[in-house]
Amino acid sequence: MKRRTMILGGTAMVALGACSSSKFKRYNGPEVTYVVVNKSQRRMMLLHHNRVLEDYPIKLGFAPVGHKAFEGDGRTPEGLYRIDRRNPNSRFHLSVGIDYPNARDIETARAMGKSPGGDIFIHGQKDPRQKEKTDWTWGCIAVTNKEIEDVYAMVRDGTPILITP
């Protein structure tokens, strides 16, 4: 009987330990009212009104200069957008979606005879054991997996995001 109790107790401890390392964090601080991305400085700030709550280094699309014009151009969009969705099963740990393309983006791409693309996210790393030294995404904004866990917990759908050159 003692052996069975020890095995069950050990199994419960392992199960509880796994729960504490969840990628889904809780956040009880001030509301994030705005996200600002400065592409040239490679920084993303989470703001509560005019106060910076968090400031993260970022990686961008592999062709970081300029506004995203069409699918596959490797650029990260510029302008005012909103966080509009979240993906808990992202290939990049976790991700929050940006509502690109807007009507202007669609019009610009169509004038070039191209698709504007979509699926622009703030997401984690493709391989957390590797430190990316250069911009590597197809137009998304990348942070570390630990940082995307914080962003995922702090930023709500509907939050405005300003992406500047």
Side-chain angles (χ1 to χ4, degrees):
M1 191 60 135
K2 279 186 175 182
R3 183 175 180 195
R4 182 175 180 211
T5 303
M6 285 177 52
I7 290 171
L8 289 174
T11 304
M13 285 175 44
V14 168
L16 288 173
C19 291
S20 67
S21 64
S22 171
K23 64 183 179 179
F24 301 105
K25 295 182 177 180
R26 289 182 173 263
Y27 175 70
N28 295 319
E31 175 189 11
V32 174
T33 56
Y34 222 81
V35 177
V36 176
V37 172
N38 184 307
K39 289 172 54 174
S40 63
Q41 291 181 1
R42 302 295 191 282
R43 305 298 297 180
M44 177 175 68
M45 293 167 283
L46 308 184
L47 299 158
H48 175 71
H49 302 294
N50 62 350
R51 188 174 114 223
V52 176
L53 299 173
E54 295 292 341
D55 183 356
Y56 302 106
I58 58 171
K59 301 296 183 193
L60 300 168
F62 63 83
V65 177
H67 176 61
K68 183 165 196 62
F70 56 87
E71 183 173 22
D73 68 3
R75 293 184 179 144
T76 301
E78 295 171 357
L80 183 60
Y81 297 92
R82 289 203 176 270
I83 301 300
D84 69 342
R85 63 199 181 281
R86 47 197 60 244
N87 182 358
N89 300 310
S90 172
R91 290 185 352 219
F92 304 101
H93 195 56
L94 292 170
S95 59
V96 293
I98 298 170
D99 70 347
Y100 172 89
N102 60 28
R104 187 190 80 217
D105 298 323
I106 294 168
E107 184 180 313
T108 300
R110 284 190 181 153
M112 300 170 76
K114 305 209 177 228
S115 165
D119 285 340
I120 301 296
F121 287 86
I122 302 168
H123 61 64
Q125 301 158 274
K126 55 184 172 181
D127 183 350
R129 295 167 297 185
Q130 268 186 281
K131 284 281 189 199
E132 299 292 343
K133 294 183 176 143
T134 61
D135 293 314
W136 59 271
T137 76
W138 284 88
C140 294
I141 299 160
V143 294
T144 68
N145 286 355
K146 181 183 177 318
E147 291 165 345
I148 193 60
E149 290 175 4
D150 293 338
V151 171
Y152 195 91
M154 293 173 74
V155 178
R156 298 283 149 240
D157 289 357
T159 302
I161 177 169
L162 177 65
I163 306 170
T164 65

